[in-house]
Amino acid sequence: MSAAAREGPHPAEETGAALHALVAELYPICRSITGDGVRRTLAILDRYLPLTLHEVPTGTQVFDWTVPREWRIREAFIEAADGTRVVDFGVHNLHVVNYSTAVDAVLPLQELRRHIHTLPAQPDLIPYRTSYYEDRWGFCMSHTALAALPEGTYRARIDAEHFEGSLTYGECLLRGETEEEVLLSAHACHPSLANDNCSGMAVLALLAARMAGRRTRLSYRFVFAPGTIGAITWLARNQAHTHRIRHGLIVAGVGDAGAPTYKRSRRGDAPIDRIMAHVLRHQTPGARLRDFSPYGYDERQYCSPGFDLPVGLLQRSPFGEFPEYHTSADDLALVRPEQLAGALALIEAAIEVIEQDRRLRNTLPFCEPQLGRRGLYGALGGDANAAKRNMAMLWLLNQSDGTRSLLDIAERADMPFATIAATAAVLEREGLLVPA
Amino acid sequence: MSAAAREGPHPAEETGAALHALVAELYPICRSITGDGVRRTLAILDRYLPLTLHEVPTGTQVFDWTVPREWRIREAFIEAADGTRVVDFGVHNLHVVNYSTAVDAVLPLQELRRHIHTLPAQPDLIPYRTSYYEDRWGFCMSHTALAALPEGTYRARIDAEHFEGSLTYGECLLRGETEEEVLLSAHACHPSLANDNCSGMAVLALLAARMAGRRTRLSYRFVFAPGTIGAITWLARNQAHTHRIRHGLIVAGVGDAGAPTYKRSRRGDAPIDRIMAHVLRHQTPGARLRDFSPYGYDERQYCSPGFDLPVGLLQRSPFGEFPEYHTSADDLALVRPEQLAGALALIEAAIEVIEQDRRLRNTLPFCEPQLGRRGLYGALGGDANAAKRNMAMLWLLNQSDGTRSLLDIAERADMPFATIAATAAVLEREGLLVPA
Amino acid sequence: MSAAAREGPHPAEETGAALHALVAELYPICRSITGDGVRRTLAILDRYLPLTLHEVPTGTQVFDWTVPREWRIREAFIEAADGTRVVDFGVHNLHVVNYSTAVDAVLPLQELRRHIHTLPAQPDLIPYRTSYYEDRWGFCMSHTALAALPEGTYRARIDAEHFEGSLTYGECLLRGETEEEVLLSAHACHPSLANDNCSGMAVLALLAARMAGRRTRLSYRFVFAPGTIGAITWLARNQAHTHRIRHGLIVAGVGDAGAPTYKRSRRGDAPIDRIMAHVLRHQTPGARLRDFSPYGYDERQYCSPGFDLPVGLLQRSPFGEFPEYHTSADDLALVRPEQLAGALALIEAAIEVIEQDRRLRNTLPFCEPQLGRRGLYGALGGDANAAKRNMAMLWLLNQSDGTRSLLDIAERADMPFATIAATAAVLEREGLLVPA
């Protein structure tokens, strides 16, 4: 797959363009933790991977939580006395507090202000606000626009309803040779925020499409669900099978200009933690590794102490630490094609390690085998890479005593896993390495 | 207790003033490893905590050592031919070599010089010298004063005696719910040196007074004894019970301007070592941690290989590394009220960890509990602290799987133990955490 | 031994001079992986230590390798049309590709160039080239000299032959009290390269001479063999006994101006790795420690996974990283007497640790013994060293609980092993320490 990504004319550019186009298609939809926004989103993703849709009825108990009512919004605006719409949900869906209750009232600006959220420090941006678990209505707008409003009375109208419906999520399992699973999940509940998390959904959808024809050792499960309550619902309905999850990645906010950030699982030393550290180190300068903390995305649920699953988080700029976070500036300009493609390449590289890591045994462990006689010295790749390949051979032969995996060896040799794995394949063909 | 320290008008200032006053009361006494100086010192400390006095007869065998004779000194001076006293024990008790033998002789300055100790590199200071285990007489004076003495004959008189008496030490046990003990000890043998160690005695005496009415889980043993021989004597007489000591601190030189220094126990990873590192890190910028070394104060004896007790040393500027060390400049001006109070606060914070550290278990370990529904988000403390308290809740819920203690969690969360412990109490009240 | 090195007038200078003289005697010989060059070399070394010579016939199978034919060279030159010898093996034996096949042909310069090796980036140096496992003939010369050759035809003559003979190596075992062995080996196949590896051979030969009369606990095996094939041959013939090897050092390139570099064994934490790190740290500022890698000298074979012996590499400037490496500039000027002597001193210091390291037990483990009563304080060495010796005593008494060796204690005390060992001997004489 990563080989495929390197082939053809400008494939990284093509991949980036395809990803950005998908982000752009997902971006305008007004998602929430329930409702048609999620369904329309999953319908788009279904073009890339065959999604099984789940509808979980309002009121269903999921651990300590209850599936909330479904939310439907038709329109929302603030109208001046002269009929001008000074705020309009139709223009930007961040203008309404997500999951807001309905209202239709005329009230003085002074009173209305208590229902309006702005960002005084970023006066031209609309903030993203939610009120999932408290009945409230509200609008969001730029501080500049609010300041420009003359005093007077305004009509505030939010035509929304909460009703007994269901929570929606989608999943897709690409079956491999074993039941061991790799979980790949992106939250699907944020409205028009391009990086958070159209980027994560797009990268996972295209990844699945590229893996579709491939024979893999592990099975790959893709989950697109609303943040927190969606993950909790998925875990409640799949508790009996979570032991199959060998590795997991939450993917969110992977399109901005920042270098990748990997946040370790609660275990801290799970294989996925080592794998991501390795891949980031060799593939992306400036990559950041962070220890687990219980604040963040859905890794919070997967890494709760009852589950303690080996699930980490891949993002670029860490959430909450870039100025566009949770504002209208998280738009299609923030998300860059090459950054989306780079994130996809990272996950594909991690999957290569997951698929190919194994323990081998040197069949001639006493002294070095005579490589020159076998034509192996310099036989691999071009001249420029010959020295590197020779070193990879020496490392593999020296370390393959049955106790060390290819990843162990790549780490000790400080070489990319791909180089070690490709060289291992050559030495296996020569009979110098066999499965341990 | 630490809460009490924060209450009332300027309590840290009051504590500092009280400590400095006690140091000032202890400072003028001429202590030695035996004799009335120690007894007068213990009588003063007894006003703060009910001390049991022990008199161990001269000649008693204590491991490889023998309790030495008691020392009594009445007066000591050097008199010029014209009757002027050029050195006088009555002016400063450092003027006589501590534990000096008696002398009364007229001798030329040239010969007398062999019995006079000065500090040529610190010419205005009187050095502190002892001769415990070798029969010698001697004086200490400033190099400047010695240089100013005209040649000629002088009368050197030390009216002192060594006799079969006893070695004196005092101790006090504040009984807690268990027999497990915390040992807190300060050496009580140095004459007029304010930091070394009137400071340590004063801090421990006031600490005991503040703990007197308190119900504690562990028992707290305070020991005031002469350095080395006193600790050895205590250990010899209490060898059968040292297994009760779960944590220990030697407290010495805690009043100077330096940041605190904690020297680890021989074990290096004893709970007291982790606790002091935690407390210093969160309470005092610039604090120093040092590994155990067999040179120092009475931790040498407690950490001898036969005992290997979990006993560390708390000081400020490390002994031997500040210019006033073991000179007449270690006086009441060197010791600062706020530094004494800060040392007391550190020990009290360590005691809070000792008392409150425990393992809890999250009763809803699968996914996060819904905190909002319980009114817990932001419910703790003011707005400014809400985010911190929320993080403390998330860390506690995530980590409380029965294997990690509150200190473990505070360390992993990089938050002060007090914050974690206070938040744990809230979650226990809600039934979300229970004893593991 | 190291004491002996410090005695007498300028002994380090004398040692250095003796080592350099031996390097100078070995330097002119044209060694290869087989042939008389090795035999003449071993004959010289035999004057220092009684070498057992081994002749292993051509064609002998040694693991994956075969002992190659013997190589004999009589003369080699390139002659211009006017009879001038423009390149002459008699002038410098690097002029011929080592192990080159024979040739006698007249050919145009353009064609001859394909058989001539130069170093364009170091135009005045002759490179060192070999062709052991491929039948080729060739010359090496300075790039400058080649550039100066006028076009035309030249006679290239190499009067050499390969024939069924044998591979030669020499070894010497200095028997100690036990069968446990220390392996010390230097490769003996490079022609006129002074640092690589006349230096290693000279240092080991003189070391053996100095150890000859000494009673040791372990046995010391010195091996001088051609690189790679020689080590493989030795291992193939001694496979049944390699378990006796407790510590091993490959010694190569120890005469240049660089600080010592120790490359750890494959195990990384073998005793020899700790010992060399300790010795280098205390004996040589600027010393470098490097982790094992499978590229290098004969440690590659000793550390192959089937053997995994505790064998490290001692060199000065790491091979391949100094400009003179494998060129005619690796000559007698590159190798310095004091650097050779320093390398010898390092190995001798390591041997002191190997010989003297042991676990002791404090016979008075409860509190400190009263050292003053025994006259031990300040009793050791001069005044300047008294404090250091006192600390060594305190460390030894504190740490000697039967679980820690003298090296463990030296490491924890951060003091040279020699100081700890000398102090331990004093405490053993006093009965304060006994074998654990």
Side-chain angles (χ1 to χ4, degrees):
Chain A
M1 238 174 355
S2 57
R6 283 192 298 269
E7 282 161 17
H10 311 304
E13 282 83 346
E14 286 177 13
T15 302
L19 285 166
H20 198 273
L22 179 50
V23 167
E25 188 175 1
L26 297 169
Y27 175 70
I29 300 170
C30 180
R31 282 163 291 269
S32 183
I33 51 173
T34 55
D36 277 342
V38 177
R39 291 190 191 97
R40 286 165 56 201
T41 297
L42 296 178
I44 292 171
L45 299 178
D46 186 61
R47 299 199 319 254
Y48 293 80
L49 73 173
L51 282 177
T52 304
L53 295 189
H54 299 267
E55 297 284 349
V56 185
T58 297
T60 305
Q61 191 70 19
V62 286
F63 296 121
D64 194 44
W65 302 63
T66 306
V67 170
R69 289 171 297 161
E70 195 166 325
W71 184 57
R72 182 181 295 142
I73 182 165
R74 276 173 289 259
E75 67 168 5
F77 56 80
I78 298 174
E79 210 173 64
D82 64 0
T84 320
R85 292 197 173 177
V86 297
V87 168
D88 191 346
F89 172 73
V91 173
H92 203 302
N93 62 40
L94 291 186
H95 275 314
V96 170
V97 167
N98 199 282
Y99 211 74
S100 171
T101 55
V103 68
D104 194 350
V106 175
L107 64 179
L109 179 58
Q110 199 172 349
E111 198 174 322
L112 179 57
R113 274 202 190 92
R114 300 210 314 265
H115 294 271
I116 296 179
H117 305 270
T118 68
L119 294 168
Q122 295 172 293
D124 296 326
L125 304 184
I126 313 168
Y128 165 54
R129 289 286 183 276
T130 68
S131 185
Y132 295 142
Y133 300 102
E134 191 177 344
D135 283 350
R136 274 192 307 188
W137 65 267
F139 290 88
C140 299
M141 63 190 293
S142 78
H143 200 70
T144 306
L146 176 61
L149 288 189
E151 294 299 324
T153 60
Y154 291 84
R155 180 181 176 201
R157 171 170 164 82
I158 299 176
D159 180 7
E161 60 178 325
H162 293 84
F163 58 95
E164 305 292 310
S166 58
L167 175 148
T168 313
Y169 68 84
E171 67 183 317
C172 166
L173 181 66
L174 302 182
R175 285 191 196 281
E177 296 165 19
T178 70
E179 280 209 327
E180 298 187 358
E181 285 185 15
V182 179
L183 177 81
L184 296 158
S185 183
H187 62 268
C189 54
H190 286 33
S192 290
L193 296 164
N195 196 40
D196 180 14
N197 189 23
C198 298
S199 71
M201 292 190 284
V203 164
L204 288 189
L206 199 60
L207 170 66
R210 288 158 69 127
M211 291 185 73
R214 187 179 168 194
R215 199 183 150 134
T216 57
R217 197 163 60 79
L218 281 80
S219 299
Y220 288 78
R221 184 178 298 276
F222 294 80
V223 175
F224 300 93
T228 304
I229 185 65
I232 292 170
T233 300
W234 188 90
L235 279 162
R237 292 160 58 97
N238 293 279
Q239 187 171 8
H241 305 303
T242 54
H243 66 276
R244 292 179 188 157
I245 298 174
R246 289 295 187 277
H247 316 277
L249 270 187
I250 306 298
V251 179
V254 290
D256 65 273
T261 304
Y262 176 72
K263 174 182 158 182
R264 295 185 181 92
S265 75
R266 180 178 183 269
R267 297 182 190 178
D269 61 352
I272 189 67
D273 300 322
R274 288 188 61 209
I275 291 168
M276 291 305 296
H278 179 83
V279 167
L280 264 67
R281 172 170 158 76
H282 285 280
Q283 204 146 329
T284 51
R288 288 161 285 203
L289 292 176
R290 296 206 171 175
D291 280 332
F292 178 76
S293 110
Y295 191 61
Y297 289 114
D298 286 336
E299 69 280 4
R300 292 163 67 160
Q301 313 308 328
Y302 293 103
C303 294
S304 57
F307 289 110
D308 196 22
L309 293 169
V311 174
L313 165 66
L314 178 64
Q315 47 187 346
R316 285 191 175 276
S317 296
F319 68 87
E321 299 181 23
F322 55 99
E324 301 88 352
Y325 177 73
H326 276 196
T327 74
S328 53
D330 181 352
D331 60 14
L332 292 172
L334 180 69
V335 170
R336 303 183 183 185
E338 71 277 13
Q339 295 293 84
L340 293 164
L344 176 56
L346 279 173
I347 302 172
E348 287 185 334
I351 289 173
E352 289 304 312
V353 181
I354 288 171
E355 287 291 319
Q356 300 209 26
D357 196 23
R358 62 197 182 279
R359 287 190 172 76
L360 298 172
R361 187 172 53 77
N362 177 344
T363 56
L364 296 174
F366 294 101
C367 298
E368 294 173 2
Q370 196 177 356
L371 298 174
R373 172 160 60 81
R374 293 177 174 81
L376 289 175
Y377 264 127
L380 293 152
D383 289 343
N385 288 317
K388 195 182 291 184
R389 297 289 187 147
N390 286 346
M391 278 308 294
M393 276 196 292
L394 292 176
W395 273 115
L396 278 158
L397 292 166
N398 184 274
Q399 296 289 303
S400 290
D401 55 11
T403 71
R404 294 172 175 89
S405 76
L406 297 187
L407 180 59
D408 294 333
I409 297 171
E411 293 278 278
R412 185 154 183 190
D414 196 19
M415 300 180 86
F417 179 86
T419 305
I420 292 291
T423 309
V426 172
L427 293 173
E428 281 184 288
R429 281 200 293 277
E430 288 289 330
L432 291 172
L433 293 181
V434 293
Chain B
M1 242 174 349
S2 56
R6 283 191 298 270
E7 284 160 16
H10 312 305
E13 282 83 345
E14 285 177 13
T15 302
L19 286 165
H20 198 273
L22 178 50
V23 167
E25 189 176 359
L26 297 168
Y27 175 71
I29 299 169
C30 180
R31 282 163 291 268
S32 183
I33 51 172
T34 55
D36 278 341
V38 177
R39 291 190 192 97
R40 286 165 56 200
T41 297
L42 296 177
I44 292 170
L45 298 179
D46 186 61
R47 298 199 320 253
Y48 294 80
L49 75 172
L51 283 176
T52 304
L53 295 189
H54 299 267
E55 297 284 350
V56 185
T58 298
T60 304
Q61 189 72 16
V62 285
F63 296 121
D64 194 45
W65 302 63
T66 306
V67 171
R69 288 172 298 161
E70 195 166 323
W71 184 58
R72 181 180 296 143
I73 182 163
R74 275 172 291 259
E75 67 168 3
F77 55 80
I78 299 174
E79 209 173 65
D82 64 359
T84 320
R85 292 196 173 178
V86 297
V87 169
D88 191 345
F89 172 72
V91 172
H92 203 305
N93 60 42
L94 291 186
H95 274 313
V96 169
V97 168
N98 199 282
Y99 212 73
S100 171
T101 55
V103 68
D104 195 349
V106 175
L107 64 180
L109 179 57
Q110 199 171 348
E111 197 173 324
L112 179 56
R113 276 202 188 91
R114 300 210 313 266
H115 294 271
I116 295 179
H117 305 270
T118 68
L119 294 167
Q122 297 172 293
D124 296 326
L125 304 184
I126 312 167
Y128 165 55
R129 289 286 183 275
T130 68
S131 185
Y132 294 142
Y133 300 101
E134 191 176 345
D135 283 349
R136 274 193 307 189
W137 65 266
F139 291 88
C140 299
M141 62 189 293
S142 80
H143 201 69
T144 307
L146 176 60
L149 288 188
E151 295 298 326
T153 61
Y154 291 82
R155 179 181 177 201
R157 172 170 164 79
I158 298 176
D159 180 6
E161 60 178 325
H162 294 85
F163 59 95
E164 304 292 311
S166 60
L167 174 148
T168 312
Y169 69 85
E171 68 183 317
C172 166
L173 181 66
L174 301 182
R175 286 190 195 280
E177 295 165 18
T178 69
E179 280 209 328
E180 297 186 359
E181 285 184 15
V182 179
L183 177 81
L184 296 157
S185 183
H187 62 268
C189 54
H190 286 33
S192 289
L193 297 165
N195 197 40
D196 181 13
N197 188 26
C198 299
S199 70
M201 293 190 283
V203 164
L204 288 189
L206 199 59
L207 170 67
R210 287 159 69 128
M211 291 185 74
R214 187 178 169 195
R215 200 182 149 138
T216 57
R217 197 163 62 78
L218 281 78
S219 299
Y220 289 79
R221 185 178 297 277
F222 294 81
V223 174
F224 301 93
T228 304
I229 185 64
I232 292 169
T233 300
W234 188 89
L235 279 162
R237 291 160 60 96
N238 293 278
Q239 187 171 8
H241 305 302
T242 53
H243 66 275
R244 292 179 188 157
I245 298 174
R246 288 295 187 279
H247 316 277
L249 271 186
I250 306 299
V251 180
V254 289
D256 66 273
T261 304
Y262 176 71
K263 173 182 159 183
R264 296 186 180 93
S265 75
R266 181 179 184 269
R267 298 183 189 177
D269 61 353
I272 189 67
D273 299 321
R274 289 188 60 208
I275 291 168
M276 291 306 295
H278 179 83
V279 166
L280 264 65
R281 170 169 158 77
H282 285 279
Q283 205 146 329
T284 50
R288 288 161 285 201
L289 293 176
R290 297 207 169 173
D291 280 332
F292 178 76
S293 111
Y295 190 63
Y297 289 114
D298 287 335
E299 71 279 4
R300 294 163 66 160
Q301 312 309 328
Y302 293 103
C303 294
S304 58
F307 289 110
D308 195 23
L309 293 170
V311 174
L313 165 66
L314 178 65
Q315 48 186 346
R316 286 190 175 277
S317 297
F319 69 87
E321 299 181 23
F322 55 100
E324 301 87 353
Y325 178 74
H326 277 197
T327 73
S328 53
D330 182 352
D331 60 15
L332 291 172
L334 180 70
V335 170
R336 301 181 185 187
E338 71 278 12
Q339 295 292 83
L340 293 164
L344 176 55
L346 278 173
I347 303 172
E348 287 184 335
I351 290 173
E352 288 304 312
V353 182
I354 289 171
E355 287 290 318
Q356 301 208 27
D357 196 24
R358 62 196 182 281
R359 287 190 172 76
L360 298 172
R361 186 173 53 78
N362 177 344
T363 57
L364 296 174
F366 294 101
C367 298
E368 293 174 3
Q370 197 177 357
L371 298 174
R373 172 160 60 82
R374 292 176 173 82
L376 289 175
Y377 264 127
L380 292 154
D383 289 344
N385 288 317
K388 194 182 293 183
R389 295 290 188 146
N390 286 345
M391 279 308 296
M393 275 196 294
L394 293 176
W395 273 115
L396 278 159
L397 291 166
N398 185 273
Q399 296 290 302
S400 290
D401 55 11
T403 70
R404 292 172 176 90
S405 76
L406 297 187
L407 180 59
D408 293 334
I409 298 172
E411 293 277 279
R412 184 154 183 189
D414 196 20
M415 300 180 85
F417 180 86
T419 305
I420 292 292
T423 307
V426 172
L427 294 174
E428 282 184 288
R429 282 200 293 276
E430 288 288 330
L432 291 173
L433 293 180
V434 293
Chain C
M1 242 171 353
S2 56
R6 283 191 298 269
E7 283 162 16
H10 312 305
E13 282 83 347
E14 285 178 13
T15 302
L19 286 165
H20 198 272
L22 178 49
V23 168
E25 189 175 359
L26 297 168
Y27 175 70
I29 299 169
C30 181
R31 282 162 291 268
S32 184
I33 51 173
T34 54
D36 278 341
V38 178
R39 291 190 191 96
R40 286 166 56 202
T41 297
L42 297 177
I44 291 170
L45 298 178
D46 186 61
R47 298 199 319 256
Y48 294 80
L49 72 173
L51 283 177
T52 304
L53 294 189
H54 300 266
E55 298 283 351
V56 184
T58 298
T60 305
Q61 189 71 18
V62 286
F63 297 120
D64 194 45
W65 302 63
T66 307
V67 170
R69 288 172 297 163
E70 196 167 323
W71 183 58
R72 183 181 295 143
I73 182 163
R74 274 172 291 261
E75 68 168 2
F77 54 81
I78 299 174
E79 210 174 63
D82 65 358
T84 319
R85 293 197 173 178
V86 297
V87 168
D88 191 345
F89 171 73
V91 173
H92 204 304
N93 60 41
L94 291 186
H95 275 313
V96 169
V97 168
N98 199 282
Y99 211 73
S100 171
T101 55
V103 68
D104 195 349
V106 175
L107 65 180
L109 180 58
Q110 198 170 349
E111 197 174 323
L112 179 57
R113 276 204 189 91
R114 300 210 313 266
H115 295 270
I116 295 180
H117 304 271
T118 68
L119 294 168
Q122 295 172 293
D124 295 327
L125 305 184
I126 312 167
Y128 165 54
R129 290 286 183 275
T130 69
S131 186
Y132 294 143
Y133 301 102
E134 192 176 343
D135 282 351
R136 274 192 306 188
W137 65 267
F139 290 89
C140 299
M141 63 190 293
S142 79
H143 199 70
T144 307
L146 176 60
L149 288 188
E151 295 298 326
T153 60
Y154 291 83
R155 179 181 178 202
R157 171 171 166 78
I158 299 175
D159 180 6
E161 59 178 324
H162 293 84
F163 58 96
E164 304 293 310
S166 59
L167 175 146
T168 313
Y169 68 85
E171 67 183 318
C172 166
L173 180 66
L174 301 182
R175 286 191 195 279
E177 295 164 18
T178 69
E179 281 209 327
E180 298 186 359
E181 284 185 16
V182 179
L183 176 82
L184 296 157
S185 182
H187 62 268
C189 54
H190 286 33
S192 290
L193 296 165
N195 196 39
D196 181 13
N197 188 27
C198 298
S199 70
M201 293 190 284
V203 164
L204 288 189
L206 199 60
L207 170 66
R210 287 158 70 126
M211 291 184 73
R214 189 179 168 195
R215 199 183 149 134
T216 56
R217 197 164 61 77
L218 281 77
S219 298
Y220 289 78
R221 184 178 298 276
F222 294 80
V223 175
F224 301 93
T228 304
I229 186 64
I232 291 170
T233 301
W234 188 89
L235 279 162
R237 292 160 58 98
N238 293 278
Q239 187 171 7
H241 305 303
T242 54
H243 66 274
R244 291 179 189 156
I245 298 175
R246 288 296 187 278
H247 316 277
L249 270 187
I250 305 299
V251 180
V254 289
D256 65 274
T261 304
Y262 175 72
K263 173 182 160 183
R264 295 185 181 93
S265 76
R266 180 179 185 267
R267 299 183 188 176
D269 61 352
I272 188 68
D273 300 322
R274 288 188 61 209
I275 291 169
M276 291 306 295
H278 179 83
V279 166
L280 264 65
R281 170 170 159 75
H282 286 279
Q283 204 147 330
T284 51
R288 287 161 286 201
L289 292 176
R290 297 207 170 172
D291 280 333
F292 177 77
S293 110
Y295 189 62
Y297 289 114
D298 287 335
E299 70 281 3
R300 292 164 66 160
Q301 312 309 328
Y302 293 103
C303 294
S304 58
F307 288 111
D308 196 23
L309 293 170
V311 175
L313 165 66
L314 178 64
Q315 47 186 346
R316 286 191 175 276
S317 297
F319 68 87
E321 299 181 23
F322 55 100
E324 300 88 352
Y325 178 73
H326 276 195
T327 74
S328 53
D330 181 354
D331 60 13
L332 291 172
L334 180 70
V335 170
R336 302 181 183 187
E338 72 278 13
Q339 295 292 85
L340 294 164
L344 176 56
L346 278 173
I347 303 172
E348 288 183 334
I351 290 173
E352 287 304 313
V353 181
I354 289 170
E355 287 291 317
Q356 300 209 26
D357 196 23
R358 62 197 182 280
R359 288 190 172 76
L360 298 172
R361 186 174 53 78
N362 177 344
T363 57
L364 296 173
F366 295 101
C367 299
E368 293 173 2
Q370 196 176 358
L371 298 174
R373 172 160 60 82
R374 293 177 173 82
L376 289 174
Y377 263 126
L380 293 152
D383 289 344
N385 287 318
K388 195 182 290 184
R389 296 290 187 147
N390 286 346
M391 278 309 294
M393 275 196 293
L394 292 176
W395 273 115
L396 278 159
L397 292 167
N398 184 274
Q399 296 290 302
S400 291
D401 55 11
T403 71
R404 295 172 174 89
S405 77
L406 297 187
L407 179 59
D408 295 333
I409 298 172
E411 293 278 276
R412 183 153 185 190
D414 196 19
M415 300 180 86
F417 181 86
T419 304
I420 291 291
T423 308
V426 171
L427 294 173
E428 281 183 290
R429 281 199 293 276
E430 288 288 330
L432 291 173
L433 293 180
V434 293

